[in-house]
Amino acid sequence: MTKTIIEPITLNIEVPAFPGGVWPINPTLITSESDVVLVDTGMPGSESMIATELEKRGLSIGQLTKIILSHQDIDHVGSLARLLEINPNIEVFSHELDRPYIEGKQPLIKDLPGPLADQFEEGYTAPSVPFIKGTLADGEELDIAGGLIVIHTPGHTEGHISLYHPAAKTLIAADAMIIRGPKLQGPNPMQTPDLDKAYQSLTKFAAFDIKRVVCYHGGVYESETLNEEIAQIVANGPVK
């Protein structure tokens, strides 16, 4: 029996204007006996880096069974079209509220900051064929890796979701929280249109026994007191 593995993959986006010239982002890869699932797809042009990360694990884009999109931001949906060109059998899921943006029926709600806007001026290109197999609802348990729970965490976008895997006590936070240095923090205020709602969303995590968090920006944070630490982040509130 194949053990379930939940781990971030690191995509080092080359951005010459950034300190060090690199912007690391962390989609999550979930592998189990029956599925190879990618949570988020990086910036446009990230598909070769995704392929390399999969190859390191003896996998390929052709073996991806599902893509779950945590929300509509371009650094999460950017390579979706290319991945579907390579493997059109991938099933894609998102929350209903972000679906029209991901499908290209409405423009993404956020502009990229200056250096990224210049480098990725072509913006987001949605896949040309209908591709979202289903939408995800708060509290829904997905038949993935023995059970994966959807948590609707609006604020960063209206359709933002996080995912919780009970067996691993692991939270895939997406952009609901970030890691800066050694610290777990709330969402990035510069990229979160409704900070109050985003912090209110964090209170939902109290219902789950969390020992490990995967953040799209920062990677993995582990602690035996994670629930208490998240509660303290909520209590401190957003830095405005």
Side-chain angles (χ1 to χ4, degrees):
M1 181 175 179
T2 303
K3 179 184 176 184
T4 294
I5 299 173
I6 301 171
E7 60 179 334
I9 62 172
T10 300
L11 309 180
N12 288 310
I13 310 298
E14 293 185 8
V15 184
F18 278 17
V22 172
W23 179 38
I25 55 179
N26 300 102
T28 299
L29 182 67
I30 304 170
T31 54
S32 68
E33 188 172 17
S34 56
D35 276 304
V36 180
V37 181
L38 186 65
V39 183
D40 296 323
T41 70
M43 288 292 286
S46 297
E47 64 276 358
S48 61
M49 284 183 282
I50 291 170
T52 298
E53 289 298 310
L54 290 172
E55 286 165 9
K56 289 177 184 177
R57 296 157 175 84
L59 299 167
S60 69
I61 291 171
Q63 290 172 276
L64 284 175
T65 57
K66 296 176 176 68
I67 289 174
I68 299 174
L69 299 169
S70 66
H71 62 293
Q72 60 169 286
D73 286 353
I74 192 170
D75 57 323
H76 294 254
V77 301
S79 289
L80 178 63
R82 282 291 296 128
L83 293 173
L84 288 175
E85 286 176 15
I86 297 166
N87 179 0
N89 295 316
I90 299 171
E91 298 177 343
V92 182
F93 301 86
S94 76
H95 191 276
E96 182 68 37
L97 291 175
D98 272 14
R99 180 175 184 166
Y101 304 92
I102 295 166
E103 290 182 328
K105 295 175 181 176
Q106 296 185 41
L108 304 184
I109 63 170
K110 300 175 197 173
D111 295 324
L112 285 168
L116 286 172
D118 294 340
Q119 185 171 334
F120 295 94
E121 60 183 353
E122 75 280 3
Y124 171 59
T125 301
S128 57
V129 296
F131 59 90
I132 291 186
K133 179 179 176 62
T135 50
L136 305 176
D138 188 47
E140 182 177 353
E141 183 166 351
L142 307 177
D143 186 18
I144 293 172
L148 193 64
I149 299 172
V150 178
I151 311 168
H152 182 211
T153 45
H156 188 73
T157 70
E158 279 302 300
H160 188 283
I161 60 168
S162 304
L163 301 163
Y164 178 69
H165 189 258
K169 298 185 178 180
T170 294
L171 175 71
I172 302 170
D175 283 357
M177 295 186 290
I178 61 174
I179 301 167
R180 282 191 172 152
K183 292 185 65 177
L184 182 67
Q185 300 182 6
N188 181 354
M190 299 292 291
Q191 295 295 321
T192 304
D194 193 334
L195 263 181
D196 290 336
K197 183 180 283 188
Y199 271 77
Q200 184 62 33
S201 290
L202 298 185
T203 64
K204 291 185 173 183
F205 297 152
F208 306 96
D209 182 13
I210 303 168
K211 302 299 182 190
R212 181 171 178 257
V213 177
V214 182
C215 295
Y216 199 75
H217 301 285
V220 174
Y221 183 90
E222 296 181 278
S223 171
E224 288 298 311
T225 59
L226 251 169
N227 286 88
E228 291 87 347
E229 292 174 50
I230 295 170
Q232 190 60 55
I233 290 169
V234 174
N236 291 342
V239 178
K240 297 183 179 178

